Amino acid sequence: MESNSPEPKSEVAMRAPAGHMMDPTDPDNPQNWPLTRKIYASTVAVAFAFAVAFGVTSLTVGIQGVMQEFNVTMTMAVLGLSLPLFGIAFAPIFTPHLSERYGRSPVYLVSLPIFALFILGAAYSSNFGALAVCRFFAGFFGGPCLVLIEGTFADVWPASSTVTYYSFLSLASYIGAGCAPLVLGALVTAKGWQWTQFVTLMIAFGVYLFGIGVPETYPREILRARARRFGHSIQLAKAESGVTFAEMAQTTFFTPLSMAVSEPLVVMVTLYLALNFAVLFQWFIAVPAVLALTYEFTLHQVGLAFIAAIVGALVSTMTSSLTEKITNRQNSCRTGTAMARLEYRLVPAIFGSVGLCGSLFWIGFTASPKINYSVPIVGTGAYVWSSMSVLTGLVSYIFDAYPAKGTLSALTLMATVRILCAAWLPLVIIPMIMGLQGQWAYSVFGFMAAVMIAVPVIIFIYGARLRSRSRHAGRIMSGGSQNMTMGPHDDQEMQMGSGHA
């Protein structure tokens, strides 16, 4: 008589799949966890990313205070926003290797406290040099929290919901960044710029207490830990991110550089997201300046204006998720499969790209004393909806466009370049607005965005063909345009994130 009793965990522990994906029937597979545990792990990842994103943009509210206390120019003070972004730009390069060796949970739980220590140092800086150094290293050590969130969500949620879960993990960074000026506007006026850092510390402390029990979600580390627990040895396939230093450097440094000149898909997406993020982060400098000069807004009123940006991010999450449900349902009715063709993940980006272009002209030509302040403010909300929709569609597509190793390299390049551009443009946006006037400064971005509308459309039409010709595509293209082999979902080596800041 056959026994229906569950398989002993000591026997399950001995099973190590040839790749990195855990057995679909394995009870320890994060995708088989109870819903409450999945939600807790995902919420912790969101909270950690929110805390770091909040800290990155927090000092923008205190720029005037920094200028006065340290007697520096506005451009120097804006480094308070740019330097943490420059620090975060390193995270996509080194975080995958830490995650491979130690799992995700230890990286989260070490990264955030070190981030908090440098935020504390920034609050007590006695000169601008100390402030600059602390802000840079806060970004450097906080960056893994923004990178790992993608891997955590890929571990826990199925590939059929990639667009939905990517829109939610993007929401953490967008709302974290937008909440800083909203929350801190009135406080800084009353208490001083140092409170931008003190509030960040409070949030980081609360988030850490909430997340201290976060379960490990990385399948390879779960298998290793289980084998250690039962005293068994385990043989896993070689890590796609590399084992030796040379292999690691190849995957997250040299191959991304090669892709920057040899992969049309990756080049197009990287350039578009670089423009997207550069314009997104300049709002944290331009919006306060324009609203103060044009409409005589106080710091508190400027903070309230960021409500439009938060609403835009929330609406993008809803529309992107709804789009995925509709395309998957239509595909299921036609073919009987659960997921639509990979290129259908680009639908949010196609709609968002039109909004991105239109919103830039909208803002540029309505930020005038002759027009009510609500019009350009709503325009920034429209930009944020568009920005997040473009990000969600394009990154969700690249997430599974190549096998694991190629995807990791592509995502590393995309994340690093767009974060560097996000750090650079805020430093020059005010001189640009003063030199060209607001209408023409944003028209320049609008014309660039108009050209970029073609990117998701071209990839939607020709993406499968371009992937099939890539030397990085390998086995993933065996199914042609209908292929839905999942890079990071079939191979959980995908620890890289896009580093939303």
Side-chain angles (χ1 to χ4, degrees):
M1 182 174 170
E2 222 175 276
S3 171
N4 293 322
S5 61
E7 183 178 6
K9 281 204 172 185
S10 59
E11 294 180 24
V12 177
M14 293 299 293
R15 290 205 305 259
H20 305 306
M21 186 68 173
M22 294 182 73
D23 191 313
T25 63
D26 192 324
D28 289 333
N29 186 330
Q31 299 204 8
N32 295 329
W33 287 353
L35 182 60
T36 51
R37 197 177 191 206
K38 286 180 160 186
I39 290 174
Y40 173 64
S42 302
T43 305
V44 169
V46 165
F48 276 56
F50 174 95
V52 174
F54 185 99
V56 167
T57 59
S58 62
L59 199 63
T60 59
V61 186
I63 282 179
Q64 291 297 324
V66 170
M67 291 171 63
Q68 292 168 9
E69 178 161 340
F70 298 119
N71 193 28
V72 295
T73 64
M74 185 171 189
T75 300
M76 291 286 287
V78 171
L79 282 170
L81 167 65
S82 295
L83 284 170
L85 290 171
F86 282 127
I88 290 169
F90 289 92
I93 299 171
F94 68 80
T95 302
H97 309 301
L98 293 176
S99 182
E100 163 57 32
R101 279 143 190 80
Y102 305 109
R104 306 203 198 281
S105 297
V107 179
Y108 277 121
L109 296 174
V110 171
S111 173
L112 191 66
I114 300 177
F115 161 81
L117 287 174
F118 280 103
I119 289 292
L120 180 64
Y124 285 105
S125 295
S126 58
N127 56 70
F128 185 76
L131 175 66
V133 168
C134 287
R135 291 286 293 171
F136 172 83
F137 282 108
F140 183 87
F141 287 105
C145 295
L146 295 169
V147 169
L148 284 179
I149 185 172
E150 285 186 8
T152 299
F153 273 66
D155 295 339
V156 170
W157 302 105
S160 58
S161 62
T162 298
V163 172
T164 298
Y165 78 60
Y166 198 89
S167 64
F168 273 95
L169 68 87
S170 298
L171 190 65
S173 298
Y174 274 75
I175 290 190
C179 276
L182 173 63
V183 171
L184 297 170
L187 184 62
V188 168
T189 302
K191 297 286 189 179
W193 70 266
Q194 289 87 349
W195 277 86
T196 63
Q197 307 305 284
F198 292 145
V199 173
T200 301
L201 273 174
M202 295 174 195
I203 291 172
F205 181 70
V207 163
Y208 194 82
L209 291 180
F210 171 68
I212 201 165
V214 65
E216 180 57 60
T217 65
Y218 184 39
R220 284 170 63 88
E221 181 58 26
I222 291 173
L223 291 170
R224 289 191 294 247
R226 192 168 61 188
R228 288 193 299 268
R229 189 164 65 249
F230 290 108
H232 296 136
S233 62
I234 189 169
Q235 186 68 40
L236 294 175
K238 186 177 179 180
E240 293 285 353
S241 60
V243 176
T244 67
F245 180 80
E247 291 171 340
M248 291 187 287
Q250 183 66 42
T251 302
T252 59
F253 187 78
F254 292 110
T255 299
L257 290 178
S258 170
M259 284 182 139
V261 295
S262 65
E263 285 292 312
L265 279 178
V266 176
V267 171
M268 286 189 289
V269 173
T270 299
L271 290 175
Y272 196 0
L273 293 182
L275 172 66
N276 183 348
F277 259 49
V279 176
L280 178 69
F281 276 87
Q282 63 81 36
W283 293 129
F284 292 98
I285 304 304
V287 167
V290 170
L291 291 180
L293 293 173
T294 307
Y295 299 106
E296 297 182 347
F297 269 35
T298 65
L299 202 54
H300 177 56
Q301 290 172 316
V302 167
L304 292 175
F306 279 88
I307 292 174
I310 293 170
V311 171
L314 290 168
V315 173
S316 176
T317 299
M318 291 187 287
T319 55
S320 296
S321 301
L322 181 62
T323 300
E324 182 175 59
K325 289 184 185 301
I326 292 171
T327 54
N328 283 348
R329 185 176 300 165
Q330 290 176 340
N331 187 74
S332 180
C333 293
R334 287 197 308 267
T335 67
T337 56
M339 290 180 293
R341 185 165 63 96
L342 183 60
E343 277 67 33
Y344 278 93
R345 292 186 184 176
L346 295 164
V347 172
I350 292 172
F351 287 111
S353 63
V354 176
L356 199 75
C357 173
S359 62
L360 287 167
F361 288 108
W362 172 355
I363 297 164
F365 284 91
T366 60
S368 164
K370 299 177 183 178
I371 299 175
N372 187 273
Y373 64 83
S374 63
V375 178
I377 287 175
V378 172
T380 61
Y383 180 87
V384 170
W385 170 81
S386 306
S387 167
M388 187 167 155
S389 298
V390 168
L391 177 73
T392 298
L394 291 178
V395 177
S396 295
Y397 175 79
I398 293 294
F399 216 59
D400 290 324
Y402 301 95
K405 194 169 185 176
T407 298
L408 178 56
S409 297
L411 291 175
T412 300
L413 173 69
M414 289 159 48
T416 301
V417 170
R418 72 174 176 267
I419 294 168
L420 289 174
C421 290
W424 165 76
L425 188 57
L427 294 170
V428 300
I429 190 59
I430 297 301
M432 185 176 179
I433 291 173
M434 298 299 290
L436 295 176
Q437 300 302 313
Q439 294 93 330
W440 293 110
Y442 288 108
S443 291
V444 169
F445 297 136
F447 288 127
M448 294 170 68
V451 173
M452 293 296 181
I453 291 174
V455 169
V457 177
I458 290 171
I459 298 175
F460 186 87
I461 298 171
Y462 300 108
R465 190 179 307 171
L466 290 170
R467 286 187 287 132
S468 69
R469 295 175 179 175
S470 169
R471 65 187 179 89
H472 297 282
R475 60 180 172 80
I476 200 167
M477 288 307 302
S478 60
S481 65
Q482 292 294 328
N483 177 63
M484 282 303 299
T485 303
M486 292 298 149
H489 299 93
D490 266 0
D491 187 337
Q492 290 288 343
E493 183 59 31
M494 280 301 92
Q495 306 134 83
M496 228 298 295
S498 67
H500 318 297

